[in-house]
Amino acid sequence: MAIFASDGRPLPQPTPTTQPFFDAAKKRKLRLQRCPRDGFFYYPRSRCPKCLGDDWTWQDTNGLGEIYSYTVDRIAHDPAFRAFAPFAVALVELDCGPRMTARIADCEVSDLRVGLPVEAHYEDVDDITLVSFRPRTA
Amino acid sequence: MSKNIRDKVAIVGVGACKFGENWDMSREDMIVEAAYEAYADAGIEDPQKQIEAVFCGAVYPNGGTGEVAEALKLFDRPISKLSNYCETGTDTFRYGVMCVAAGMYDTVLVVGFDKPKDRGVSGPSVSFDRVRGLPATPAGWFSLCAARYFQTFDAGREDLAKIAVKNHHNGTLAPKSMLKREITVDDVLNARIISWPFGLYDCAAQSDGAAAAVITRADLGRSFRDDPINVKAITIAVGANPQSDPNFDFLSWKPTQVAAKDAYRQAGITEPFRELDVCQVHDCFTLTEMLTYEDLGLCKKGEAKDFVASGVFELSGELPVNTDGGLKTFGHPTGATGVRMIYENTLQLRGQAGERQVKNAKLALSHNIGGAPQACGIAIIGHP
């Protein structure tokens, strides 16, 4: 069952595994799991995707990265996203290693490019905070 | 590693209904049309006695086996339904081939079908992935590869457009294809954008349809017809969702590379570009076909755009690809697609492909991928 925001968008529902990610996002921090052998990984999961170890810890990252690849959704199949279209969905390669798929905020579609430096961006929607990225301001 | 299945199973009958928006046909109507064409093609007059088991592939229906049994009035025998993303058709064919090779049955029917147009949406349901809260469609998943590929290999939308133009041309020559319209590179570049860099003509035509094949033991092939076609290789590979695979570089389809290696080993192929005569590949989007040329080893990574520009994959070229228009214009009824590729390759190998006939075709490959994409199925068939 999806939970919907007051603006109609479906919202992620934190699980025990993902709750720390959302708790950190509320405090404007990009916090990811880090394996002592293989480093940071994303998305949140119970074991490291490389060594399958479960001795990872949650650690804050600097929230910086660059666009690895991207596409632009101009249609927004879900009516709740139409107000955002056209919007960019990008693979962001973080300085700390893993890639995150996320929306790019505060960026003209024509300014998108592979290699664009971006920083984590936080949007409070009802009771949850969503993480997207935007072009670096500093 | 798979064991060799080469030359153990023969294709003796193929059939397909017309692909398209088949508002006037039920699933059962399409299944009957495809299966009875395959029966006639195989010279089967009494399917009740001659078809020992049925393997059907479909993605959208919840049921499947009962409707196939009732449509074909084939009761009291094994009927199974398979689903494996968009490579369902190839995997369904694979199950049939393995059962015959194992000696379980002499002759079986493989039928792939789907009727997505009745669902009111033009693709699989929009899904939402875990913590991202992002809408995801197939066009979105596949287009995410494009910007990176363009940047890495100095390619662009105009390179993809040539693939759409080719497949539109080929589709005009296939009587049962959905779209029959020539287009130009400018048409492709000026069409409305669906998910950048994919415009309307970069996307396959989802359609309704069914396709069927009758297969039997290779040593029985000639009891059905004089020109049986043998299965040379059949395999699948499944990998992680690219979004959750930390090592996926979005520049190639890993399952295709793995399945191709296995299929070539089974078929004894060492130089695929030189040895294969015709290919049907999964062109859900133009970029998918572009990357597939490379991942099948038809050219090196990054060379696909030059091969496309040289025309080698066109009907008149050295290795024609998607001779019937592919998913792009023949249509993409998910479960039917892999079986439709077997249908087209069989016609090509028999010299029955009409205006789109490839000269002296002896060895043909079909390639299906599915998921985001996670799965790949490959079949290689050829003269005994």
Side-chain angles (χ1 to χ4, degrees):
Chain A
M1 253 318 270
I3 303 288
F4 294 92
S6 45
D7 66 5
R9 277 186 289 168
L11 288 179
Q13 299 160 70
T15 64
T17 308
T18 64
Q19 189 70 52
F21 174 88
F22 288 105
D23 289 346
K26 199 170 276 288
K27 295 173 186 157
R28 292 348 191 210
K29 287 285 182 192
L30 183 64
R31 186 173 298 167
L32 302 183
Q33 289 158 293
R34 184 178 198 179
C35 167
R37 289 164 298 281
D38 300 307
F40 282 102
F41 58 90
Y42 180 82
Y43 55 91
R45 44 190 141 191
S46 55
R47 285 175 182 270
C48 168
K50 288 191 178 156
C51 68
L52 302 183
D54 64 355
D55 52 345
W56 45 265
T57 52
W58 285 98
Q59 290 186 28
D60 288 344
T61 72
N62 63 6
L64 301 176
E66 58 179 48
I67 292 181
Y68 180 83
S69 194
Y70 65 94
T71 184
V72 179
D73 187 339
R74 291 160 204 263
I75 292 186
H77 265 278
D78 187 315
F81 282 88
R82 294 217 173 119
F84 299 88
F87 60 88
V89 176
L91 287 164
V92 172
E93 187 159 88
L94 297 169
D95 286 1
C96 65
R99 292 188 201 122
M100 285 179 68
T101 315
R103 271 180 53 208
I104 302 295
D106 299 342
C107 183
E108 293 297 325
V109 164
S110 54
D111 292 337
L112 290 164
R113 62 179 171 84
V114 170
L116 184 74
V118 293
E119 63 186 15
H121 171 68
Y122 305 90
E123 183 191 5
D124 296 318
V125 185
D126 299 345
D127 295 330
I128 203 165
T129 301
L130 302 179
V131 177
S132 54
F133 287 83
R134 66 180 176 196
R136 275 186 220 173
T137 47
Chain B
M1 190 182 276
S2 63
K3 298 288 185 274
N4 214 321
I5 202 157
R6 188 172 166 186
D7 290 322
K8 288 179 179 159
V9 179
I11 302 161
V12 291
V14 289
C17 76
K18 186 178 182 311
F19 282 23
E21 295 181 330
N22 294 339
W23 309 120
D24 57 342
M25 297 177 90
S26 66
R27 273 200 291 259
E28 289 82 351
D29 292 333
M30 301 192 303
I31 291 165
V32 166
E33 204 166 302
Y36 275 76
E37 184 176 299
Y39 293 162
D41 194 46
I44 285 182
E45 289 170 356
D46 190 355
Q48 295 291 342
K49 284 199 179 129
Q50 293 170 276
I51 299 294
E52 294 163 63
V54 183
F55 294 88
C56 36
V59 168
Y60 294 108
N62 291 323
T65 54
E67 35 185 57
V68 172
E70 297 209 31
L72 298 174
K73 304 290 177 265
L74 289 175
F75 302 116
D76 306 323
R77 72 200 71 205
I79 302 185
S80 303
K81 194 199 98 177
L82 291 147
S83 176
N84 203 341
Y85 309 103
C86 291
E87 69 107 354
T88 293
T90 298
D91 206 12
T92 306
F93 179 73
R94 174 173 161 266
Y95 271 77
V97 167
M98 291 192 299
C99 266
V100 171
M104 286 286 282
Y105 316 106
D106 287 343
T107 305
V108 307
L109 175 72
V110 175
V111 57
F113 60 94
D114 256 313
K115 200 164 189 325
K117 286 295 177 178
D118 285 357
R119 297 162 61 251
V121 295
S122 58
S125 308
V126 173
S127 62
F128 298 90
D129 198 8
R130 299 187 177 88
V131 298
R132 302 186 186 106
L134 297 164
T137 62
W141 301 332
F142 283 86
S143 62
L144 258 182
C145 294
R148 191 76 197 176
Y149 184 90
F150 286 177
Q151 162 100 3
T152 308
F153 298 115
D154 191 27
R157 290 195 67 214
E158 59 284 358
D159 297 308
L160 302 183
K162 291 169 193 159
I163 293 172
V165 170
K166 167 182 76 72
N167 290 347
H168 264 264
H169 171 72
N170 294 354
T172 65
L173 306 177
K176 291 177 178 173
S177 69
M178 179 181 187
L179 304 176
K180 292 188 173 59
R181 189 167 148 241
E182 299 278 359
I183 56 167
T184 65
V185 166
D186 281 345
D187 291 335
V188 182
L189 298 178
N190 295 328
R192 71 184 162 91
I193 294 288
I194 302 297
S195 192
W196 188 90
F198 299 157
L200 183 65
Y201 293 113
D202 289 290
C203 306
Q206 196 174 44
S207 68
D208 304 328
V214 174
I215 58 177
T216 191
R217 272 168 34 198
D219 59 312
L220 298 177
R222 286 186 203 282
S223 67
F224 289 88
R225 49 184 303 145
D226 296 336
D227 55 358
I229 300 301
N230 277 9
V231 175
K232 302 289 183 183
I234 182 82
T235 191
I236 70 163
V238 176
N241 183 327
Q243 303 277 339
S244 56
D245 175 358
N247 299 317
F248 192 84
D249 65 4
F250 288 83
L251 295 172
S252 55
W253 312 127
K254 272 201 224 169
T256 293
Q257 295 172 328
V258 174
K261 192 176 170 194
D262 190 39
Y264 295 150
R265 186 185 55 76
Q266 289 182 18
I269 290 173
T270 52
E271 295 178 71
F273 182 80
R274 198 180 55 74
E275 294 177 59
L276 293 166
D277 299 307
V278 57
C279 293
Q280 315 302 327
V281 309
H282 199 93
D283 59 319
C284 51
F285 302 98
T286 45
L287 181 84
T288 323
E289 182 164 334
M290 179 84 100
L291 266 66
T292 298
Y293 295 142
E294 300 171 349
D295 294 327
L296 285 177
L298 304 180
C299 58
K300 292 196 187 103
K301 200 43 65 192
E303 282 183 351
K305 71 181 167 84
D306 299 327
F307 273 58
V308 169
S310 73
V312 289
F313 300 126
E314 293 171 17
L315 273 184
S316 55
E318 206 173 331
L319 178 56
V321 174
N322 289 333
T323 48
D324 61 2
L327 283 68
K328 178 72 201 77
T329 60
F330 202 97
H332 183 30
T334 322
T337 288
V339 186
R340 182 269 302 166
M341 292 172 165
I342 296 291
Y343 165 82
E344 171 68 4
N345 275 345
T346 300
L347 296 182
Q348 289 286 354
L349 293 167
R350 289 183 192 156
Q352 296 178 330
E355 288 182 82
R356 61 188 192 285
Q357 180 64 49
V358 174
K359 275 183 199 157
N360 301 321
K362 293 187 179 66
L363 197 60
L365 176 146
S366 55
H367 159 270
N368 249 183
I369 61 176
Q374 292 104 318
C376 174
I378 292 178
I380 299 174
I381 63 176
H383 290 176

